[in-house]
Structures are given as structure tokens and as C-alpha cells.
């Protein structure tokens, strides 16, 4: 019993000593080492400073908080997450594991031959598990095709995301039987570009696609009708900035082309005309009016239309502009 009492007393003294040391350390962290004043954290400058004398005790502190702001509890719960955000541009929405191909460990050292073989087997099985059924394999192929074509056409990420959603809807509503995966993927991208206000012509789309123009138009009409998508007619003005940029023309030419198209709209010249042809003709006519050197051949190559179309349309635009000018 006496030995037990001695051990208990010793343990109590040890714990008291540890508490005193912890308290002393915490006091040192909370007090300025120069004047003994209170320390505060300056989150804006990532520093810990003394309120009294202004001494910077710590600097370049790491902000371990989230990269977003929330103004209420519901918004905080909605935004809090771990890992990358989900995306419809991947068949598994980015939720599965991806094994890198570098064959290096965490320190950048090359793996041994036995470890490389093991990692290759893991990659194979991981890929098999990611595409377990035909629907996931279908999605993987189609979304990869959408990403490839969007990159070739220079379309932004929001268009790719919208095209992925349209294709997923077509797959869920069983619209693919009798049609190719490439055809539905191309039609989805064409519809998404039209909806986003960054349209591409059928010739441009079919140039980077693996399907013929006739199949693309037929599949596009079918997808639009069955899914009930609201796609407005393409506005010729949406093509003007890209044509002006590709031809390296001035802002004045772009402004003049928009004015010509507006005059043509007031006179009803737009009706029944190709928006690409009208945009190309407006750019060519505007370049002539602003004394910039550009040929019909150069404009036709950028817009992927014939020179005859440009000649016919630009005369109509100039006539409409002359008619609208007095009014």
C-alpha cells in the first residue's frame, strides 16, 4: 500500500508538472516576447503581431481554411467538400480512382521492375472496374469524342459540359439504337454550341467529326425533337468576332459588320439565308468600307463557304444598308 501511494503521488506530481509546462508554453505563444503584450493573428497579411508594440512574431502563415466563403449554415454545408468537384464530362463524373502512369513513388524515385508490373496490373483492373457495363463504355467513348471535337473547334468548357448532359439524356431515354455513338455525340455538341451562343457551322463540325454531314443533320433534328431542346436560330452576329479575329481585322471593321447585319435584319434580308454566309459577307463588306485589304478567297476559307455566296450576300447587305440609311 505505501508503494502504491507513492506511485499515485508521483503520477499526480508528473501530471501537474506537464500541465504547468503546457500552460507556460501557451502563455509564451499568446504573449509578445519583447513587451509581454497580447498577440493577434492578421489573416490578411498571414502574420502574428503584437497589439502593443507591433512586433511581427510569425509570418508567411499557411491558411488552412477553405477556398470559398459561406454566409449561413446551409450554404456552408452545401459548399463543404473533399476532393475535386464532380463533372458531367467524365463517364463516372470524376468520382472514381485514377492511377498515374509515371511509375514513380511519392519521392519521385523510379519503381522497380516488380513494382511496375504490379502497378500495370492495378491500372488494368482499375480500368475494367471503371467501365463495368456497356452503358459506361458507351459514355466513356462518347464523352471522349465530345472532348476531342470541342478541343479542335476551340469551344469553352461550358459547351462541353452542356453537350455531355445532352448526350446523357439521349442515352437515358434510349435514343441511341439505330444511330452511331459518334453521330449522337456530334449532334449533342452542335446543339450545345448553338445554345451557348458560340455556334459552329455544320461544315466546321463535320470537318472534325467522324460522321458525314447528312447523318449529322438527321441525328441533330432527331435529338432536338425527342428531347424537346429549345435551340434558337443561329444569329449571324455570333460568327462575326471569330471571322474578324481569324482575318486579323480591326475593331472598326467588326463594328461596321454588326451595323450591316442590323440593317439587313430591319429590311428582312436574314430570312431564308445561311447565318454563316451573311456573317462572312458582312465582314467582307465591312472590310471594303473601312479600306482594309482582304479578299473573298480569304474570307471563304475562314468561313468554309464559297466565294459565290459571299459575292451574292454582300451586295444584298450593301443594298439593305443604303435602304435603311435614310430612315
Amino acid at each position: 500500500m505505501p508503494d502504491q501511494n507513492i506511485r499515485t503521488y508521483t503520477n499526480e506530481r508528473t501530471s501537474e508538472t506537464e500541465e504547468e509546462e503546457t500552460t507556460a508554453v501557451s502563455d509564451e505563444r499568446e504573449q509578445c516576447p519583447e513587451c509581454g503584450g497580447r498577440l493577434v493573428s492578421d489573416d490578411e497579411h498571414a502574420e502574428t503581431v503584437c497589439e502593443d508594440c507591433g512586433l511581427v512574431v510569425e509570418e508567411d502563415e499557411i491558411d488552412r481554411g477553405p477556398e470559398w466563403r459561406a454566409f449561413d449554415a446551409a450554404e456552408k454545408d452545401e459548399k463543404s467538400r473533399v476532393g475535386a468537384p464532380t463533372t458531367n464530362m467524365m463517364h463516372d463524373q470524376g468520382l472514381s480512382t485514377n492511377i498515374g502512369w509515371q511509375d514513380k513513388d511519392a519521392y519521385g524515385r523510379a519503381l522497380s521492375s516488380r513494382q511496375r508490373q504490379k502497378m500495370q496490373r492495378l491500372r488494368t483492373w482499375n480500368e475494367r472496374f471503371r467501365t463495368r457495363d456497356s452503358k459506361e463504355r458507351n459514355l466513356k467513348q462518347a464523352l471522349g469524342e465530345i472532348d476531342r471535337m470541342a478541343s479542335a473547334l476551340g469551344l469553352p468548357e461550358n459547351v462541353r459540359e452542356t453537350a455531355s448532359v445532352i448526350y446523357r439524356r439521349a442515352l437515358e431515354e434510349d435514343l441511341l439504337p439505330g444511330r452511331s455513338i459518334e453521330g449522337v455525340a456530334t449532334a449533342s455538341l452542335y446543339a450545345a454550341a448553338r445554345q451557348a451562343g458560340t455556334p459552329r457551322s455544320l461544315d466546321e463540325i463535320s470537318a472534325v467529326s467522324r460522321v458525314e454531314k447528312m447523318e449529322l443533320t438527321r441525328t441533330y433534328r432527331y435529338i432536338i425533337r425527342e428531347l424537346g431542346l429549345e435551340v434558337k436560330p443561329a444569329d449571324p452576329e455570333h460568327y462575326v468576332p471569330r471571322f474578324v479575329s481569324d482575318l486579323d481585322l480591326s475593331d472598326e471593321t467588326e463594328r461596321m459588320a454588326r451595323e450591316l447585319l442590323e440593317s439587313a435584319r430591319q429590311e428582312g434580308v436574314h430570312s431564308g439565308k445561311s447565318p454563316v454566309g451573311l456573317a462572312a459577307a458582312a465582314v467582307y463588306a465591312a472590310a471594303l468600307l473601312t479600306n482594309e485589304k482582304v479578299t473573298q478567297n480569304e474570307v471563304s476559307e475562314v468561313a468554309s463557304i464559297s466565294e459565290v455566296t459571299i459575292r451574292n450576300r454582300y451586295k444584298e447587305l450593301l443594298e439593305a444598308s443604303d435602304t435603311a440609311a435614310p430612315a
Side-chain angles (χ1 to χ4, degrees), residues 29 43 68-69 75 81 97 101 110 121 144 199 207 210 212 218 233 240 251 255 264 275 277 294 327:
R29 291 177 180 174
D43 296 332
W68 41 262
R69 294 189 302 168
E75 189 176 0
R81 59 176 171 79
T97 303
W101 53 269
R121 287 196 301 272
R210 294 190 173 97
E212 298 294 332
R218 186 167 57 247
V240 170
D251 294 339
R255 181 182 57 80
V294 64

Side-chain angles (χ1 to χ4, degrees), residues 157-186:
E157 187 173 337
N158 66 311
V159 175
R160 306 181 193 198
E161 190 87 23
T162 305
S164 303
V165 172
I166 294 174
Y167 187 89
R168 286 176 184 273
R169 285 188 57 194
L171 184 62
E172 290 171 1
E173 298 189 19
D174 202 25
L175 302 182
L176 265 71
R179 292 165 184 81
S180 66
I181 294 175
E182 290 83 0
V184 179
T186 308

Side-chain angles (χ1 to χ4, degrees), residues 237 253-266 270 281-287 289 314 316-322:
E237 289 191 18
T253 300
E254 181 178 346
R255 181 182 57 80
M256 181 63 69
R258 291 180 183 276
E259 291 179 358
L260 289 173
L261 290 174
E262 181 61 31
S263 300
R265 182 181 289 106
Q266 294 175 1
H270 278 54
V283 170
Y284 176 69
L289 293 174
Y314 102 86
E316 295 174 356
L317 290 174
L318 292 178
E319 291 174 0
S321 177
D322 293 338

Side-chain angles (χ1 to χ4, degrees), residues 19-301:
E19 289 178 2
E20 291 175 357
E21 291 177 355
T22 305
T23 304
V25 171
S26 62
D27 289 341
E28 289 178 1
R29 291 177 180 174
E30 294 177 359
Q31 292 182 355
C32 174
E34 292 290 334
C35 67
R38 194 168 73 92
L39 299 180
V40 293
S41 296
D42 185 356
D43 296 332
E44 183 178 354
H45 300 92
E47 296 174 344
T48 299
V49 299
C50 175
E51 274 189 334
D52 298 334
C53 66
L55 175 69
V56 178
V57 179
E58 293 183 12
E59 60 181 350
D60 297 331
E61 295 177 354
I62 298 174
D63 183 7
R64 302 186 185 277
E67 76 280 9
W68 41 262
R69 294 189 302 168
F71 300 98
D72 53 38
E75 189 176 0
K76 181 178 180 181
D77 293 338
E78 182 182 350
K79 288 187 174 182
S80 62
R81 59 176 171 79
V82 176
T86 58
T87 173
N88 285 306
M89 292 187 291
M90 298 180 67
H91 71 282
D92 52 11
Q93 295 189 335
L95 296 175
S96 63
T97 303
N98 187 27
I99 302 176
W101 53 269
Q102 289 87 353
D103 284 335
K104 293 182 179 180
D105 61 12
Y107 299 98
R109 296 189 294 250
L111 300 178
S112 64
S113 60
R114 185 175 180 180
Q115 288 175 322
R116 286 198 298 271
Q117 292 175 0
K118 180 179 179 181
M119 294 304 297
Q120 186 58 41
R121 287 196 301 272
L122 287 174
R123 290 191 193 96
T124 302
W125 280 106
N126 182 58
E127 193 63 26
R128 290 174 181 173
F129 279 117
R130 288 180 66 188
T131 54
R132 289 189 299 273
D133 54 27
S134 59
K135 183 178 179 181
E136 290 187 355
R137 288 193 292 271
N138 183 314
L139 263 180
K140 183 179 180 182
Q141 180 182 347
L143 299 182
E145 192 72 7
I146 288 173
D147 189 62
R148 180 190 66 80
M149 291 186 293
S151 298
L153 293 169
L155 292 171
E157 187 173 337
N158 66 311
V159 175
R160 306 181 193 198
E161 190 87 23
T162 305
S164 303
V165 172
I166 294 174
Y167 187 89
R168 286 176 184 273
R169 285 188 57 194
L171 184 62
E172 290 171 1
E173 298 189 19
D174 202 25
L175 302 182
L176 265 71
R179 292 165 184 81
S180 66
I181 294 175
E182 290 83 0
V184 179
T186 308
S188 300
L189 183 63
Y190 180 59
R194 291 274 297 271
Q195 284 184 330
T198 55
R200 297 293 186 267
S201 66
L202 284 171
D203 291 326
E204 290 176 304
I205 293 283
S206 60
V208 299
S209 175
R210 294 190 173 97
V211 296
E212 298 294 332
K213 184 178 178 180
M214 187 65 68
E215 180 183 351
L216 168 59
T217 54
R218 186 167 57 247
T219 306
Y220 169 72
R221 293 193 188 100
Y222 176 74
I223 293 295
I224 292 296
R225 184 177 65 253
E226 294 298 322
L227 295 181
L229 300 177
E230 295 183 1
V231 180
K232 297 179 181 179
D235 191 341
E237 289 191 18
H238 290 159
Y239 295 93
V240 170
R242 183 159 55 89
F243 293 167
V244 169
S245 176
D246 292 343
L247 292 167
D248 197 21
L249 299 175
S250 64
D251 294 339
E252 184 182 1
T253 300
E254 181 178 346
R255 181 182 57 80
M256 181 63 69
R258 291 180 183 276
E259 291 179 358
L260 289 173
L261 290 174
E262 181 61 31
S263 300
R265 182 181 289 106
Q266 294 175 1
E267 296 299 317
V269 178
H270 278 54
S271 180
K273 305 293 193 307
S274 167
V276 180
L278 283 172
V283 170
Y284 176 69
L288 294 181
L289 293 174
T290 55
N291 297 320
E292 293 206 53
K293 293 182 180 179
V294 64
T295 64
Q296 293 180 3
N297 183 45
E298 292 172 338
V299 178
S300 68
E301 288 181 357

